Amino acid sequence: MRDPDAGKAAHTLSGQIADALRQRLLMGELLPGAKVSLRSLAASFGTSMQPARDAVSSLVAEEALEITPTRVIQVPELSRQNCDDIFRMRVLIEGDAAALFVRRASEQEFAKLQALSEAVRPERLGMAFTDHMRAHIQGFNDWSFFVGDRCGSPLMRALIHRLRVRMAPVVALALCRDADEDYSFLEFSTHIMMEMAWVARSRDGERMRDLRRSDILTYQRYLYRRLGWTLDGRSS
């Protein structure tokens, strides 16, 4: 007979491994095409292969990892259309999540949002985001997840996390590229983050939705420019 406690422990461990993989993806440690080894995963967590295999399976189901026909586990190389679709979904979902957040947030949460907005101002990161990529990625993840986790919709929260994990390797790839810095974007980013922190306190959900959507669309243009893409689908 199978030991139920052993099964629970294995499930918990597979969840821990999956969370660790998601965090590595979110922080830009795994770029598109990067390989993932089950053996290395199992060894790093001091476990058998099965929890590592279960963790990878869960990320494959979320489309954050893929298994090639030759059974290689790797980070997907998203097509331009995939990226466009993810940004379309992010604009809709994260815009609405921001609107819901401001209608139900407490004074303490508004203060926290203000602090998170201050933390991602370009001058706090040495002006050029790409000079401090990990701090840039961490700051924007913290801001987005703080709002999404407190919007009051478990489904929207789950979708925000899933879409950001899928897009994270492409974000990191764009930030790694050698390209001239777009200071007009940096100035706009500073302005819009502080504007959102101010609008949040007014509980103006419609305005907050519009600002968040503009923020995401502008960031999309910034990343695409670094990748050599234009919004009409052509390479620049």
Side-chain angles (χ1 to χ4, degrees):
M1 178 181 292
R2 183 180 179 185
D3 182 351
D5 291 334
K8 183 185 294 186
H11 175 73
T12 301
L13 186 53
S14 69
Q16 292 173 358
I17 297 172
D19 286 344
L21 280 170
R22 291 188 191 96
Q23 186 62 21
R24 290 187 66 192
L25 288 163
L26 282 169
M27 290 306 299
E29 296 177 18
L30 297 170
L31 297 180
K35 306 298 188 289
V36 176
S37 164
L38 285 177
R39 192 175 302 279
S40 296
L41 273 179
S44 65
F45 280 85
T47 184
S48 65
M49 295 283 282
Q50 192 57 49
R53 188 175 289 110
D54 291 343
V56 165
S57 294
S58 67
L59 268 73
V60 170
E62 296 169 13
E63 300 181 282
L65 294 176
E66 66 180 3
I67 300 177
T68 70
T70 57
R71 307 306 295 171
V72 172
I73 303 164
Q74 65 181 26
V75 179
E77 299 205 30
L78 297 183
S79 68
R80 169 62 190 273
Q81 182 176 346
N82 291 148
C83 294
D84 286 350
D85 287 345
I86 289 172
F87 269 110
R88 288 190 192 99
M89 294 302 296
R90 282 193 56 198
V91 166
L92 294 172
I93 296 168
E94 293 191 47
D96 281 355
L100 291 172
F101 168 81
V102 302
R103 292 169 182 161
R104 66 195 307 275
S106 65
E107 183 59 35
Q108 291 77 13
E109 288 170 330
F110 286 140
K112 178 65 174 178
L113 185 67
Q114 177 78 36
L116 290 170
S117 298
E118 290 279 356
V120 296
R121 291 175 64 175
E123 56 266 34
R124 292 289 184 89
L125 302 177
M127 198 58 188
F129 288 145
T130 51
D131 291 342
H132 302 272
M133 188 179 76
R134 285 184 63 84
H136 161 80
I137 291 172
Q138 184 70 66
F140 278 92
N141 282 340
D142 288 347
W143 195 100
S144 299
F145 291 146
F146 181 80
V147 171
D149 291 351
R150 290 160 181 79
C151 72
S153 169
L155 178 57
M156 292 176 75
R157 175 190 183 279
L159 288 171
I160 288 169
H161 280 257
R162 180 167 174 173
L163 290 171
R164 291 186 73 90
V165 169
R166 284 196 67 197
M167 192 69 198
V170 178
V171 172
L173 178 64
L175 295 176
C176 288
R177 290 287 177 89
D178 184 16
D180 293 336
E181 197 54 83
D182 184 352
Y183 289 101
S184 63
F185 163 75
L186 299 176
E187 291 173 2
F188 176 81
S189 178
T190 297
H191 171 77
I192 203 166
M193 295 303 293
M194 301 315 298
E195 181 74 5
M196 283 192 288
W198 180 83
V199 167
R201 288 184 179 274
S202 71
R203 298 192 185 276
D204 186 343
E206 296 303 317
R207 177 63 175 154
M208 187 68 171
R209 179 189 290 110
D210 290 343
L211 285 170
R212 182 58 177 147
R213 288 179 174 178
S214 295
D215 183 36
I216 294 170
L217 287 170
T218 305
Y219 191 52
Q220 178 187 11
R221 294 187 185 96
Y222 173 74
L223 295 175
Y224 279 18
R225 185 188 64 79
R226 297 192 67 85
L227 291 168
W229 297 347
T230 60
L231 289 182
D232 61 10
R234 295 177 300 178
S235 296
S236 59

